[in-house]
Amino acid sequence: MARLTATLRALGYQFRDTAAALPGPLQGDIEAGLAELERLVGKIPATLADFYRVIGSIDLRGSHAEWAGCAYPDPLVVEPLEAVLAEARDYAALEDPAAEYWASGTGRFRAPVAPDALHKAGQSGGMWYSVEIPGNVADPVVLEEPHGLPFSEYVGLALAWGGFPGLERCRDHTWPLAQLLEAARAG
């Protein structure tokens, strides 16, 4: 992912928040953050915990003045652990968490993974992409994301489209997909 963000920068892509593009894992004690999250909402799926430990977060939202043909490229975003902890603290403080919008129909906490494709493009949209915690699977399905994939496959799909899986719906775009794919494969 470091090569992909570097390639985007070199191509003149303007990140919405340069510091958030690929900041690395949580500053401080990542294990303390994961332990707090688990204490608040239950067992964290292994793929999500590993992502926070190794990568931290990624946010490819942004634009390029010359790239056209795709209004909703759905850039890869995985919210940082700090954001998930903030939501979990709010969730845990509620009297009836299952009645709140971020709780799933099962009453489990919905950890925010990313805004939906419309919100990523600066428009009002739907519910954020999320995973349920606690869960009994190591690689939970990303809810609300249109492909219905487990978390690791969602990240893989995004990288298979150079970090922008919405490009699969845009056949006449002018994005330098070949260069983005090469950078995504390189790491």
Side-chain angles (χ1 to χ4, degrees):
M1 291 186 201
R3 177 95 181 266
L4 177 58
T5 56
T7 297
L8 285 164
R9 279 187 190 96
L11 292 170
Y13 187 80
Q14 299 296 307
F15 289 100
R16 185 190 77 159
D17 181 351
T18 303
L22 191 63
L26 172 74
Q27 298 303 310
D29 188 353
I30 186 84
E31 294 308 318
L34 291 169
E36 180 184 357
L37 183 59
E38 191 160 307
R39 182 183 56 77
L40 290 169
V41 295
K43 184 165 176 51
I44 304 162
T47 54
L48 194 59
D50 289 344
F51 189 93
Y52 294 139
R53 284 182 183 112
V54 176
I55 297 167
S57 63
I58 187 167
D59 188 341
L60 299 183
R61 288 178 283 187
S63 63
H64 192 288
E66 297 174 8
W67 301 353
C70 193
Y72 304 106
D74 198 9
L76 178 59
V77 173
V78 177
E79 296 288 350
L81 178 58
E82 296 95 328
V84 177
L85 275 168
E87 288 293 332
R89 289 177 191 126
D90 290 346
Y91 175 86
L94 295 170
E95 258 183 66
D96 185 9
E100 297 297 328
Y101 74 95
W102 57 68
S104 66
T106 64
R108 293 185 187 119
F109 174 67
R110 292 182 89 169
V113 170
D116 74 336
L118 294 174
H119 277 105
K120 289 177 187 176
Q123 295 186 10
S124 181
M127 183 66 167
W128 59 57
Y129 301 164
S130 61
V131 297
E132 284 189 339
I133 299 176
N136 59 359
V137 295
D139 197 8
V141 169
V142 178
L143 303 172
E144 307 303 330
E145 196 280 329
H147 297 90
L149 298 172
F151 177 75
S152 64
E153 292 180 36
Y154 161 70
V155 172
L157 173 73
L159 294 174
W161 283 94
F164 301 89
L167 293 176
E168 77 176 318
R169 295 183 303 275
C170 304
R171 298 295 174 210
D172 296 322
H173 67 80
T174 62
W175 291 55
L177 188 56
Q179 287 176 280
L180 298 177
L181 289 173
E182 182 181 331
R185 282 191 284 265

